[in-house]
Structures are given as structure tokens and as C-alpha cells.
Amino acid sequence: MTVLKTEGLTKIYGSGQSEVTALDNANLKVEQGEFAAIIGTSGSGKSTLLHMLGGLDRPTSGKVFVDGKEIFTLKDEALTIFRRRKIGFVFQSFNLVPTLNVYENIVFPIQLDGSEPDEAFVKEVIDALGIGKMTSRLPNQLSGGQQQRVAIARALAAKPAIILADEPTGNLDSKTSQDVLSLLKVTGKKFSQTIVMITHNEAIAQMADRIIRIEDGHITIGGENND
Amino acid sequence: MTKVKNGKVIRKLAARELGKNKKLNVVVILSIVLTCLLFTTLATIGGSLMNGMQEETMRQVGARSMMGFKEALPEDYELLSTAKGIKNLSYNVMVGEGYNSEFKEISLEIRYAGSDQAAKDMFSYPTEGRLPEKENEIAMSDIALRTLGFEPKLGQEIHLVINTDGKITEHDLTLCGWWQGDPINLAQQSWVSPELGKKIAPLRKKGDDSVGVCGYMAVNFDFESSYDIEGQAAELISSLYEKEDLGRMAKQTGINWAYVGSSVDSGFVVAGSAFVLLIFFAGYLIIYNIFYINTSANIRSYGLLKTIGTTSRQLKRMVRIQACIYCLVGIPLGLVTGVLAGKGLMGFIMNTMNVVSRDSYSVSGRLLCMICLFAALFTFLTVMISCRKPCRMAGAVSPIEALRYNETDISTKKTDKKTGRITPLAVARNNMSRSRKKTVVVVLSLTLSIVLVNTMFTLLGGIDQDKYIADSIVGDINITHDDRGDNWNELTKGITPDIIDRFSSIEGCEVHPAYYEAGMVRDDGAHTEKVQGLLDKYGSTDEDTAVILEASVKDKSHSSNIYGIDEEILSCIEPSAGSIDLEKFRNGRYAIVSTYLYCADDENSVQIYQPGDKITVDYADKGAREYEVLAVAPMPYPISVKAYNFFQTDIIVPEEEYFAADDEPAAVSLMINTDDNDGSAAEQCSAVCDEDGSPLIYKDKADYLKEFEDLLNMVKMVGGTLSGILALIGILNFVNAVVTGILSRKRELAMMNAVGMTSSQQKAMLRWEGACYAVLTAVCSAVLAALVSLLAVKGLGEGLFFFRYHFTLLPLICCIPVLLALSAAIPSVAYKFICRESVVERLRENG
Ligand SMILES: Nc1ncnc2c1ncn2[C@@H]1O[C@H](COP(=O)(O)OP(=O)(O)O)[C@@H](O)[C@H]1O
Ligand SMILES: [Mg+2]
């Protein structure tokens, strides 16, 4: 089943002289349960693509379908609500709300939605990520790797249709990066979660089920899963 | 140690850093301008008030000179003209007092001047015409002229009766000069020629000790500096005179109060210092806050600078240099606006207060320089003190920490946080506690202004009009007898039945006479003992009083003012002990009694007669009559005899009782109530008093009401301006805190939005934050306002005779909706402001 699909996605920043085509007619499909890596050099348009996929920014033209629903027909407010139900984000840094403790951060999107978290499931996720001992700590008491694991837990806890991660290990040393990435992959499989992850690191990309290559705003390889 | 020349780099860096955040710069500079403006305005008003007060004191004293000898002889003048260290020496000679019947409330002093300087020193130099030269010439103030019934016009013929220490002479003179007299001065001046003056009052010779003031030279002069005039005076006298003259000179030395430090009202100094502190504090709050936020916003780049080798000292210096740059822009702007605002406000004060001698309140160039210097210095100080902590913060930043820095990290390591349910309110509460200092600053400044508003209204509400004017007037109009002349009987019993009839016959007038005679109280054993008690207690404070008290003990009697009044006047009397029972008072066997002792401050402590005591009074005509004391209360001052013995007891009895004891009853004063709306009755009363030769003095409630309004206006204006300024500062602080709080959390808010917090949820959260400020402020100000009201205002009010204290928090309660509205509106606006950038743009920042 296709969870995520784009049609002719194009994003142009600025206008006239300073016009930048960050994304040019990108077409892409991601299947349920897949772990896809988007790889490309710095400035090639990876983040731009991810932001479109997650409904954080609107494209200049083109469409994005999540779970078969076209997301940009939604108004901002509705889009945000859609996001907290269907999409889990993991950013490179500054993922957590500094005044909320670890557990609160994890259930934050669920509670924003006015629903009660499925405590057993949240506990399972927390245990799977090995952060069970630090649920009442505040983010600034955690190491960078721990913070990223909490961010992954938050993304998983809401049982979204898809998790989008923008260089989640960009700020970590290579040992920690390895740990975090393995966890992301393992837990993704365990909870049969669809994951799209950005990286500019070939080695990291190799861990993925599929590699989507992007150059100068064009998807050159792996837009459609041809397996 | 070699001094590395890195100053230039640091300065450059400081300037660059400034360029980074233009909006914040504007806010910092504005807050410096505001602080400077407040200081300058305060200094301008304070300076011109002080100037004006000194001038006004000089005018009251009637002299500009620092020092004078009041009863000097020609040889003293000679001696002084050779003395070193003094300048502006001049003399005038008192010739006599104007004795024309028109001079009642206003009196006229007639002198001749040794030089023009002498006239100038007394604020009495003709602005039109000149000083007299010929024998038949006179120069006079316009007020004196108008009192005599003339318009100021040169060449006017004036018939002047002069009383020279009891010797009366009459003169026909021609007006050769006049000037604007000072209405605050009841003694107006006039100048005759030395030729005429010497004839009427020849100069005194040494050894002539006859009573009186005429014929003496009044010698005035200044010292080089106004510092320690008393010391300089003592030194001068001892250097000029031999032993035998020292006593004579010391006795007549007059130092102008206007120059003596203590002449500046201590209340004025306290109020001034309080204002300085207040502005200082307010300025500190806002500037500190902005600097703090500015530094925290820049903390990452400071960390970076440190990583690449900038030392703590250099970083601190950078922040200080930034502060100086801000000052350089802010202070001049503040000075200019402040001086303008100060002058404007001063004009406004003069208008409301009806100040006549406006020129006294103008600010000279030299004073202006001092004001600017003062304001600039204080503003600079405020800025420097405000940036001390941020400076330290910048210096203490560690490279690693700075890179991880967000506002929370500043506080000491937090312990774990209990898990709770997340609602916008809960998140808002967490956010409040993350920078407690900021919360305290905002809440404090808002609280301050609200407390002030509340205090002002408590003061305004407590000022009691009736009480205020009760000391000046009772009823609508008071008529008293002129106190000129030494005929005690005429003075105290001058309002004869036919005069009373004249007023009674005026339509709309209801006349209530206060009959009076001086009598004696016979003290029985117990009360004599009480008098002895007073002697023991106060005998040492005043010699004269002691003599009188001793005599009273010995004679078992003391002097008394006996009043006969009707029930209308009775209703104006407020007893301090006992109560006024109308039935009892009517039957004539009861009296209202009050004892007065010259040297006692506390009226209540000298009341030897208490309700229920028996008191025996000796009337002049009918001898002794005994009363029971009904209540303790003095005769209302405006209609009392207004002359005091060292020790006396007022006895107030009903009219009928008084008539029975006095063969020829006459009144000391009249209380008149009018029932006319157009003021015609009052006009007719006033006309009776203005008749030629009439010895009656007219006082109207309306005049005092005006004075009362002036007082109210002043409280309103001062309090209003102050709380307005504080409210402004409070709101600015609030805006500042909210806006910077939102700006510094821009990324965080974007991230929250990315993971699903809708903008309406974010707005709700921010509004809850605002509401937390509002609620905290409301609670703090309620507590503080109540404390201030109960501790300060109540105490202050007890010292003011016209104040009736009521506890109220109503003004504060009225402020709360405003506060809530603000707390909801400001975050919404600020949020809209950051939403102009998309979530993605905000996420990318520093990313
Ligand atoms: N808000 C923006 N305004 C203008 N140009 C932008 C903006 N965001 C991204 N770009 C440009 O779009 C291109 C792609 O950026 P991005 O998607 O962040 O690349 P990547 O994440 O692959 O490093 C870059 O050339 C970048 O400069
Ligand atoms: Mg990127």
C-alpha cells in the first residue's frame, strides 16, 4: 500500500533575480513499512522536499498525498492537526520542548490532540528506545543522543502514518549516530512504521531499505520503488 | 605585562553585534531615552520649584540679600563698607507705617533708600518712574496704591498718614514711581525721599534705646558665597566689633531664610529623593530587562567568540561598550525631550496652582546645565548598573554551554519534573517559571504603577473638603474685626449689635454672632493640682509659660475666653471628649471647655477639665457662674478671638446664658450662612466691610474652596503624572517581556507547531502566559496596595488635619480588567508578528 505519494512537486524560493528552484517536478512514492533514505549534497533540496512531505511548507506547484489524502487542500490549522495525527518529525536538533519532561514531550502531540495516550504502547516505545529511566528528566539534562531517542519516541508514540527525519544524527558523534540509527530502524520495523530519513552520508543511507537520490532539486534515483 | 592593542577589534565587534538586532536596539535606546527624560523632567521641575521657592521665601522675607542688620546705626554701615568678603552693601531706613484707614489686612511700610540697590534688594524698585528725589515725592507698590483706591499713575496725588512709632503725621505727596507689589506679601512697601524721611524719623544715635523700629538703618549685604552663611556671619561680626558691641550686633543679625539650608522644605527633599529612587528603579527594571534579554539572545555568539579566543574581560568590555553606544544616542535625546517636557509640565503646574510670580520659577542657563548634567549622570549610572549582571553573564559564558544555551539553562540545574497533563495553561505556567527574574521584573513594575494609582485615589478620596476649610472658615462667610490698633476691647467686642443688625437686614443672610468676653476660671483644689502638673511637665520648656503657670497655681485661677454662641455655631464644633447634648447645652448649666497651653504640642495632653467636671467662671460684670463640663472642644478658629494667652481656657455657653452674664454683649466675630445662589448677599456683606473706615474683615468660603481645588488638582496632577509614567513603564516592561519571550522562543514555537500544536493552541498558551502575569500582578498589587494604604497613607493622613482615611482597593479592582485585556492583546499581537515568517523559515534559523 502506498502511504506517501507526490505528483510534480515544485518549490521556488524568491522571485526574479534571486529566484531559487529548490525542488523541481519531484515525483515519489513510499510504501507502508518502508525505511527510505533521501540522500544528496548540501543545498540539493532534501530539507525542502521533507518539509513539503510533512506539510510544513506549501509547494509552488504539485501535490502530496498522505494515506491517499491530498494534504495541501487543507487550511493551515487543519494541516497542523493532520500533521500531529499522521506525521512524526525528528529534526537535527532542538526537537524537544525545554519546559516539559521526557514523558511529557513524548505524549505532547497526543495530548495536544485532546486524546489520552495509549499508556501500554507508549511504555513499549520508551522501553524499546531504552529511555525508561529518564522519563521525568528535563531535556537539558539529557545528552544529544538521548534527546534524539526521545524525539524518535515522540514520533512513534502518536502512531503516525509516516515518520520524517531530517538528518537526525547530524549533531551526534559517529558512535552515537550508529546507536540512534539502529534504534530508529529497529523500532521502525518493530512497530511497522514507515520512515523517510534525510542524510548526506552514504554510509548511513546504506542502512535504509531504499535510497532516493536528489541533485539540484531533481530526484535522480529511486523516486518510485521498482522492486 | 604588555598591553595588547585589541581595543579596536573589541569596539568593532561591539558595534557589529549591535547592528545585528535592530529592533532590540530601538527598544534599548527608547528605554534609555525614557529614563533620561524622566530624570530631566524631574530635575527641571525640582530645580525650578526650588528656585521659585527660594525666590518666594525671599519675597516673603522681603529681601534678596543674604544677610542684614535690622537696627543698625550709621557707624555700623561705615564699618561694613570697609569690611572684606561682602558685596552688594545697601541700607534703607524705616520711616513709619501707613495709617490711612484703608490699611487693614494689607499694611504699608514707608522707608527711604540709601541707593537704588536698596530698593532692588527689597523687590521694590519702580518699574515705572523712579525713586523719590524731591521731598514731596513717593514711590509705592501698585497693591498699596489700589488699597488706597488709586490706579497706578505717575503724578497721582496721595494723602498719606504715617505712624512713626506712635507719632502720627500727615503728608500730601506725588507719585513718582510704582512697581508690581507681591500679593503674597501682606506688608507692602513705599519709598519717600531721604530728605522727608530724615525729617519724620531722624537717624538713631548710639545709646538711643527708645522703643520702636523707625530711624534705624536696615543694612543688607551678600557674602561672596552662600555656603554656611551663619558661620560667615559670626566670623564677620567678631572681626568687626569689640566685645561690648557683640551682643547688640548678634541680636539684630538677620539671615535670609531663603539661603539657609533648612529653609528648603524637608518634605520637598524627601519627595525629590523618592522620585529619583523611583525613576532609578523603574529605569533599572526596564533597561536591565532588555540588556538581559539582549545578552541571552546573543549568548551563542558570545560562546563562539570565546571559543575562538576572546577573553571574559574582553566580552564584558564589549557589552559595556555597547551600553555606552546606546547611552550616546539615548541620553541627548532624553535630555532634549526631558527639558521640553519639564518646562511644559511646569507651565501646567503654574496654571493650576495660579502662581503669580512666574518669573521666579524660570530656569536659568546655569541651572539648566546642572540639570542636564545631573540627568545625564543618573541615566548613565542607571544604564551601567543595569548592564552589570548581563556583563557578568556574557563574561561567564562557557563555549560549550553557550552552544546548548536556551533561556532555562541559566538557572541552576533543575531537578526532575513531575509528569502532568499538558494543556496550554500548564505549558504557559512552565514557561513563566523558566525565567523567574523576568517575571518578577514585569510583575513588579506593573504592581508599582497600580499601587500608586490606588494610593493616589485613597489620598484623593480621603481629603475632606469641610475639614480642610474648617480651619480657615466656618459657615459661608466670616466677619471679624480688624486687629490693627491696640484697643483690646474694640478688637474683641468690636462687632456691636448695630453692626450685627446691618448684616441681618441683608436679604438671604443668616447671621450667627460669636459673643465674647475675657474672663477668669477659678480652679478648685483638684484642678489647681492639674495646673501644677502642667507646670512640672512644661515649666522647663518655656520661661514665660512657667511664670504664668506659677501665678495660676498661686492664684488658683487662670485666664479664660468666654464665648456665647447659638446652635448653628454649636453644630460646627467637634468635641475631642464627651459629646454635645443639645438639650443639656440649651439649659445653660453646661459649658464646652478647652484649655490651651502655649508650649504644648499635643492639645489633648493639656485638657485639665474633662466632661462631668465642675468649672467656675468669673465674668467681668456678673461675677462667678458655675457650669458642668459637657464636652472638650475649642472654639472654631476662624471665629475665635485669635489671640492667645500663654495659658487659657475657652468656655463656650449658649447665647442666652451669655446675655445673662454680660451687661453689654458684643460679638468678636460673625458666622454668616447665605442662601442666595447668585452671590448677591455675599456681595452686600463684602460691601459693608469695604466701606470707608470700616474695621471689619470679610472672608468668604468660595476663596477657600478655590484653594482646596488647587490642592486637589495638585495631588491629581502629581499622582496622575507619576502613575501614568509608571503605568507606561509597567506596560513597556510587559510588552518587552512578552515580545522578547516570544522572539527568543521563535524556534521552539516553530518546532511545537511542526509536531502539531496549532496556532490557536499556541495563541492560547501565550495568552495564558499573559494572564499569569496579570493574575500575579493583581495579587501582588492587592497585597502591596493594602499594606501601603494601611501603613503609609493612614499614617500620613493622621498628620493632615483635613484628611479622613478610608481603606479602599476599588481603583485597583478597576485596573484589573485593563490588565487582563492587555495581557490577552499583547501576546496575540506579538504572535501575529512572528507568524509573518513561515514555520520552515523559523526552523531553519541558526539551524
Ligand atoms: N526560505 C528559503 N528562501 C530562499 N532560499 C531557500 C530557502 N530555503 C531553502 N532555500 C534554498 O533552496 C535550496 C535547497 O535547500 P535545502 O532544501 O535546505 O537543502 P538541503 O537540505 O539539501 O541542504 C538551497 O539552495 C537553499 O539556499
Ligand atoms: Mg537540510
Side-chain angles (χ1 to χ4, degrees), chain B residues 352-373:
Chain B
T352 32
M353 302 296 291
N354 272 319
V355 174
V356 192
S357 46
R358 257 158 193 274
D359 289 346
S360 326
Y361 289 90
S362 66
V363 180
S364 67
R366 194 164 138 249
L367 187 60
L368 199 69
C369 284
M370 272 162 63
I371 287 168
C372 289
L373 216 72

Side-chain angles (χ1 to χ4, degrees), chain A residues 13-14 20 22 40-49 166-167, chain B residues 841 844:
Chain A
Y13 288 112
V20 178
T41 52
S42 181
S44 55
K46 309 181 293 290
S47 294
T48 305
L49 173 62
D166 192 345
E167 308 206 37
Chain B
E841 276 168 328
R844 283 172 62 90

